[in-house]
Amino acid sequence: TQIKAFVGVSGAYDMLRLSDHLNDRGLHLSLLNSIMSINGRTCLEDISPASRVFTYVEDPAKYKSVVDCLPPVTLLHGKDDDSIPYEHAEEFGHVLERAGVEVDRVFHDGETHTTPLIENPMRGHGDRLSEGVLSVIKPEQVSNVDKNNRRMVPEPLIKLALRVSPF
């Protein structure tokens, strides 16, 4: 009850559904299952928030007190994220809404899985996904998205990094 908001940024909310996508991108299912296991038992469903919330939705009387404690949720995601497609956040938002949770989804064109941490800072300007987090936790903060700071790396190198990044 002390948590006032939850902000998800480019999250993996349904590992079961995401596993095929990750396999297609080179993280083979056998390796993913090994990484995401406890004592040799795969736990993709257990660690997936979407699966857990869906369980609450399917048995509302049993889990009403849990769902009632969930804070408003903001899901931020880049539309050009190849690591975890933004549709996963969209679907997780629907599951949360079915459970009665207040959800705000914000999707940004041109943002990938790494632009908030790598490319945008190298360009020397703020990042829309990072700004989205700040707008929830500190709404009075002035945005720095459009401020031009000093570029760290030439744009052709940033574009090359985007093409070779596995994320």
Side-chain angles (χ1 to χ4, degrees):
T1 57
Q2 294 178 352
I3 297 174
K4 302 300 179 199
F6 172 84
V7 181
V9 181
S10 304
Y13 306 112
D14 189 343
M15 289 302 297
L16 282 174
R17 291 200 56 247
L18 188 59
S19 62
D20 288 335
H21 172 76
L22 294 174
N23 185 64
D24 292 344
R25 291 192 39 85
L27 180 56
H28 299 287
L29 289 175
S30 59
L31 178 59
L32 179 65
N33 286 329
S34 294
I35 294 169
M36 304 295 184
S37 66
I38 298 172
N39 297 325
R41 185 182 74 77
T42 299
C43 59
L44 291 176
E45 186 171 11
D46 296 337
I47 64 169
S48 298
S51 296
R52 300 194 84 122
V53 173
F54 189 75
T55 299
Y56 303 154
V57 170
E58 293 301 302
D59 194 352
K62 183 176 180 182
Y63 295 107
K64 182 167 179 19
S65 63
V66 174
V67 173
D68 288 346
C69 289
L70 292 175
V73 172
T74 299
L75 301 174
L76 306 168
H77 215 107
K79 283 189 166 185
D80 292 341
D81 188 336
D82 290 329
S83 296
I84 302 172
Y86 79 95
E87 290 87 358
H88 286 264
E90 179 72 43
E91 292 163 9
F92 182 49
H94 289 301
V95 170
L96 288 166
E97 287 172 336
R98 282 188 59 200
V101 177
E102 178 186 330
V103 180
D104 184 25
R105 297 175 204 70
V106 182
F107 303 123
H108 293 288
D109 291 324
E111 298 291 330
T112 70
H113 203 69
T114 58
T115 49
L117 303 172
I118 300 172
E119 292 85 15
N120 288 341
M122 289 191 322
R123 287 184 175 109
H125 59 76
D127 177 75
R128 292 179 290 179
L129 293 174
S130 301
E131 290 291 323
V133 173
L134 287 175
S135 71
V136 172
I137 62 173
K138 197 167 183 180
E140 68 280 0
Q141 181 73 31
V142 177
S143 172
N144 71 356
V145 170
D146 296 321
K147 293 182 181 173
N148 288 323
N149 296 322
R150 187 167 171 251
R151 177 181 285 274
M152 295 170 53
V153 178
E155 188 64 25
L157 289 179
I158 294 170
K159 288 184 178 181
L160 177 61
L162 280 168
R163 292 186 74 47
V164 299
S165 171
F167 302 105

